[in-house]
Amino acid sequence: MTHLVTTERLVVRDWELSDAAAALTVFGDERVSRWLAPAADAVPDEQAMAARLEQWRAEQVREGDDVEQFVGRWALARSEDGVVVGALVLRTMPPHGEDLEIAWQLAPEHWGHSYASEGARALAAWAFRQGASEVFAVIRPGNERGEWIARRLGMEWVGETDKYYDLHLRVYRLRPSDIAPPDPVTTGSLPVITPRPA
């Protein structure tokens, strides 16, 4: 199992097929899947989740690959017990494959513990060390939780666009000098934003 980066509480690591059940708590939950870009339905079962993990493992970037053509998906796990709490993504976005996206998804049972911002901050810093000059988060309008995390990372709102994934999205940009310092760990005391009905 390859660990990409670690933080005070978390490990960003490659997905394993044995993670299918844990991954399903993220991607099988409509409260998460409804905000994904590109648009995706909730994964229906563990078998479908295992197939998706296998696909992601085949696409995974390896050491020495060009960060400008980057595709990487990682599990976000707690260091203390190995529990997978979510997922992180870096990928170049269509239509031109020029803009590097960072994305985070967390199982709802782990919302409100700063895991998304802690993991995404570490992954963005790693991307910058590999030579990326900026990363973008593209967030569906109404996803207040996603926007709150983007701002917490120090990302700058740059507007709305229909350029990516055939969706109308709000765009945030992060450059190396913009990364906000880590917040104090405030487990359990962060606001939990309930998604609005579709």
Side-chain angles (χ1 to χ4, degrees), residues 55-181:
Q55 175 189 346
W56 292 347
R57 286 165 52 86
E59 296 171 347
Q60 188 76 357
V61 68
R62 298 295 170 214
E63 189 173 345
D65 287 351
D66 182 359
V67 74
E68 297 303 323
Q69 300 300 318
F70 207 93
V71 175
R73 296 175 181 272
W74 296 273
L76 184 62
R78 285 196 304 239
S79 302
E80 65 179 1
D81 57 11
V83 169
V84 172
V85 298
L88 294 172
V89 179
L90 276 177
R91 61 182 164 211
T92 50
M93 292 185 286
H96 307 298
E98 296 171 347
D99 297 331
L100 186 62
E101 176 189 11
I102 187 168
W104 49 86
Q105 302 86 33
L106 229 62
E109 68 185 277
H110 299 296
W111 289 356
H113 296 277
S114 305
Y115 293 145
S117 56
E118 185 175 331
R121 182 180 290 108
L123 184 58
W126 178 86
F128 295 144
R129 289 193 301 271
Q130 309 313 305
S133 59
E134 58 188 6
V135 295
F136 294 89
V138 291
I139 300 170
R140 289 179 183 245
N143 184 356
E144 296 172 353
R145 172 177 291 281
E147 292 196 61
W148 181 75
I149 293 168
R151 290 191 303 271
R152 194 163 188 213
L153 294 172
M155 300 187 99
E156 175 187 11
W157 183 72
V158 294
E160 297 189 8
T161 186
D162 299 318
K163 175 180 177 181
Y164 308 113
Y165 305 121
D166 296 321
L167 293 169
H168 185 76
L169 299 166
R170 296 177 60 84
V171 181
Y172 286 81
R173 178 180 60 213
L174 185 68
R175 294 179 173 150
S177 61
D178 298 330
I179 294 181

